[in-house]
Amino acid sequence: MIQTILSQAVEAARPAAELGQTATYIPELGKMDKHHLGACVFTWEGERCCAGDTDVRFSIQSISKVISLAAALELCGYDTVFERVGMEPSGEAFNAMGKLEAVGSTPSNPMINAGAIAVDSYLEPKISFEEMLSFTRKLCMDPQIVLDEKVYHSEMSHISRNRAIAYLLENTGVIRSDVERTLDFYVRMCSLSITAESLAGLGLVLAGDGVHPATGERLLSPDTVRVVKTIMLTCGMYDGSGTFAVQVGIPSKSGVGGGILSVVDGRMGIGIFGPALDGKGNSVAGIQVLRTLSRELHLHIFDPSEHR
């Protein structure tokens, strides 16, 4: 049943790609064919359903914020992470500077650029990028994940806004480590090359409370997973998070590479790839696929329990 619904949802959503554009502000991302669309659903019972362009590799971008937040919670602890980063939806664009220049101000949440850069500033002194890459491969159940050098260099060549954000954070005391090392770490994490299947794997680990579904190994603590999923629900779709929560109701995180990671607690992980973005930076066709899956499979977090 899931495979049929998924295939139909992907085909029905394909025309929506015409309504969006690729993320040309990072030149390498702008080269992606905006008509790509793929979706995967991995269930806790072992079912793996895929439709469309699910083996095409693309840039993880802001979905890496989920992995960095999880790692920071594990390595630095809840109190350290949220001492100088908030938990509230910002209502602003993902790369907004907002009121960061004000003394005592802090980033709204870890899913916007300012918050993620701050989180990476706590994480970078404690773990190498190579160790984070290995951690990401395990969480996504994808040993083929690598750094996309072209995306990395393209993003580093167009980093002025994020550099400004980072130095504002240093100026107000939010960042207390080396700014340039933090920025390099942040961009490397955003430049990992993944597939929709990688995201479905990560979603399944989060849906399983941090346990690897095949090996039974605990990769994340239950407390870390609870925090991550909650912030995904409230802040994961940029300044479209509230509308998405009402219409779809699945904890999710998007990236301007076209990916969406979604987690159906205790049931499944969903990975989407559709690089045509709306004005908020979310995959246009990907959101349409998720609306259909949520409706047809009763995945909304507040659907009546008898429908699940």
Side-chain angles (χ1 to χ4, degrees), residues 68-86 110 115 118-119 122 227 231:
S68 291
L69 174 60
L73 288 168
E74 295 284 312
L75 293 175
C76 307
Y78 177 94
D79 291 340
T80 296
V81 170
F82 291 109
E83 179 185 3
R84 299 188 295 275
V85 177
V119 167
Y122 315 145
V227 171
I231 291 179

Side-chain angles (χ1 to χ4, degrees), residues 5-225:
I5 292 171
L6 181 65
S7 297
Q8 291 173 347
V10 168
E11 289 310 307
R14 282 194 183 278
E18 294 298 335
L19 304 175
Q21 299 295 331
T22 55
T24 55
Y25 72 94
I26 300 174
E28 197 62 30
L29 298 186
K31 297 176 183 179
M32 185 67 73
D33 180 356
K34 77 172 189 176
H35 298 100
H36 280 311
L37 182 62
C40 286
V41 174
F42 292 175
T43 72
W44 196 249
E45 291 75 28
E47 192 173 0
R48 296 168 68 98
C49 303
C50 294
D53 304 309
T54 58
D55 58 351
V56 175
R57 293 215 166 253
F58 62 96
S59 179
I60 191 171
Q61 291 299 312
S62 282
I63 302 171
S64 67
K65 294 169 182 174
V66 171
I67 298 169
S68 291
L69 174 60
L73 288 168
E74 295 284 312
L75 293 175
C76 307
Y78 177 94
D79 291 340
T80 296
V81 170
F82 291 109
E83 179 185 3
R84 299 188 295 275
V85 177
M87 305 180 197
E88 302 299 331
S90 70
E92 297 182 312
F94 63 90
N95 60 355
M97 294 187 184
K99 300 176 181 177
L100 293 178
E101 73 278 4
V103 175
S105 65
T106 57
S108 298
N109 65 73
M111 298 293 109
I112 59 173
N113 290 12
I117 291 169
V119 167
D120 280 346
S121 78
Y122 315 145
L123 192 56
E124 185 272 332
K126 292 182 176 291
I127 190 170
S128 69
F129 170 72
E130 288 71 24
E131 290 170 319
M132 279 298 292
L133 175 58
S134 177
F135 181 58
T136 300
R137 287 170 172 167
K138 187 175 288 189
L139 283 178
C140 294
M141 300 188 286
D142 181 359
Q144 303 304 315
I145 293 175
V146 296
L147 174 69
D148 187 322
E149 294 281 355
K150 290 183 178 180
V151 171
Y152 166 71
H153 289 295
S154 181
E155 193 161 349
M156 287 299 291
S157 299
H158 295 78
I159 199 176
S160 297
R161 189 172 187 88
N162 281 336
R163 179 170 276 119
I165 288 171
Y167 277 102
L168 279 173
L169 293 173
E170 182 196 43
N171 184 62
T172 56
V174 174
I175 288 182
R176 299 174 184 175
S177 57
D178 187 275
V179 173
E180 292 299 325
R181 283 206 308 268
T182 294
L183 283 169
D184 186 74
F185 187 90
Y186 171 80
V187 174
R188 286 179 182 273
M189 286 302 297
C190 287
S191 302
L192 296 180
S193 181
I194 59 164
T195 67
E197 295 182 28
S198 315
L199 295 180
L202 173 56
L204 188 59
V205 169
L206 294 174
D209 208 26
V211 173
H212 193 292
T215 66
E217 179 185 0
R218 176 161 291 284
L219 304 179
L220 298 168
S221 73
D223 284 346
T224 289
V225 176

Side-chain angles (χ1 to χ4, degrees), residues 233-276:
L233 179 64
T234 58
C235 307
M237 300 297 285
Y238 303 131
D239 48 326
S241 297
T243 299
F244 183 87
V246 171
Q247 294 180 351
V248 180
I250 307 171
S252 299
K253 181 70 192 88
S254 63
V256 296
I260 304 177
L261 157 72
S262 298
V263 181
V264 183
D265 209 28
R267 295 175 62 186
M268 64 183 68
I270 303 172
I272 305 279
F273 169 50

